[in-house]
Every structure is written in C-alpha cells, then in structure tokens.
Amino acid sequence: AAVVEQCNDEAGIMWPVNIAPFQASVITLGKSETAFAASEKIYQDLLEAGVAVAWDDRKDSPGVKFKDAELTGVPLRIVVGDRGLDNNALELKTRWGGVEEAAPADVCQKALDMLADMQKAPA
C-alpha cells in the first residue's frame, strides 16, 4: 500500500522496477504475422534474460493497450508494430515518460539497459 501511495500519477501506479509484477510489457500493434513474430521473439529473449515480461497480443486498439499498460504500472513498454519494423525503430517507453527507439535486433539489449538504469535511479 505504501508503494501505491507514493508511486502513482493520474494514470495509475508507477511500479519501481525491483518490485514490479512485470518489469516490461511487449505490446503488439496490428494483425500482421511479422509484428506477431517479432513480438514473440522479443518476449522470449527477455524471458531468457530473466526479465519478468508480459505480452499484450490482444486484438484491442493501441489506445486501450497503452492505457492498460499505464494503469497497471509496468515500468517499460516495448511497442512492436509494422510501422516500427518498417522504419527499423521500435519504441521503448518508460512509465515515467522517457521514450527511446531501438532497431528490432537491438531492442532486448536496449530494454535491459533501460531497466538497469531505472533500478539505479531513486523512485
């Protein structure tokens, strides 16, 4: 209860990385097999790296998925969609508003680096 009281904003809880139920969330946008396959690879790679990760592959709109990720307070959101894959730049966004991009091949290492930085920062 103390964490929820101290770590929140108007959109919901903002879990500190070290106690978050999930450290990262992979959000698949669109219905293409390419985006689904890329999301699954990122999800599996993060699991193998020891990251507690959730994968949102629901057929809901991007707005619903983003809102749910904010509401549940997952510290890092990785957006995988056709546009990002086509531009070779997937979006990584922290719950606190920091946004970075990474090539699909580099996204797992970038996510690990961002999570490590968030663990160092005071909550």
Side-chain angles (χ1 to χ4, degrees), residues 49-121:
V51 175
V53 60
W55 178 15
D56 190 344
D57 63 346
R58 297 175 297 167
K59 302 299 181 205
D60 289 331
S61 71
V64 168
K65 292 180 178 188
F66 296 156
K67 190 71 174 167
D68 286 350
E70 283 182 352
L71 183 64
T72 57
V74 176
L76 181 63
R77 166 176 97 190
I78 303 164
V79 180
V80 182
D82 291 325
R83 188 177 347 175
L85 291 168
D86 290 345
N87 294 327
N88 201 37
L90 300 182
E91 179 186 88
L92 294 94
K93 183 176 182 188
T94 68
R95 178 61 179 82
W96 299 270
V99 178
E100 298 193 30
E101 291 186 345
D106 302 329
V107 76
C108 289
Q109 186 58 53
K110 183 67 168 181
L112 292 171
D113 293 344
M114 290 175 75
L115 288 167
D117 286 346
M118 283 188 272
Q119 285 182 340
K120 294 176 197 171

Side-chain angles (χ1 to χ4, degrees), residues 1-76:
V3 172
V4 175
E5 181 69 27
Q6 294 298 312
C7 301
N8 69 79
D9 65 8
E10 64 280 346
I13 190 162
M14 300 167 67
W15 286 108
V17 173
N18 58 342
I19 62 170
F22 293 102
Q23 297 167 321
S25 177
V26 176
I27 298 176
T28 305
L29 300 183
K31 300 175 184 171
S32 79
E33 283 298 317
T34 305
F36 186 86
S39 297
E40 184 174 28
K41 177 163 180 18
I42 292 166
Y43 173 77
Q44 291 296 333
D45 289 350
L46 289 172
L47 280 177
E48 289 174 14
V51 175
V53 60
W55 178 15
D56 190 344
D57 63 346
R58 297 175 297 167
K59 302 299 181 205
D60 289 331
S61 71
V64 168
K65 292 180 178 188
F66 296 156
K67 190 71 174 167
D68 286 350
E70 283 182 352
L71 183 64
T72 57
V74 176
L76 181 63

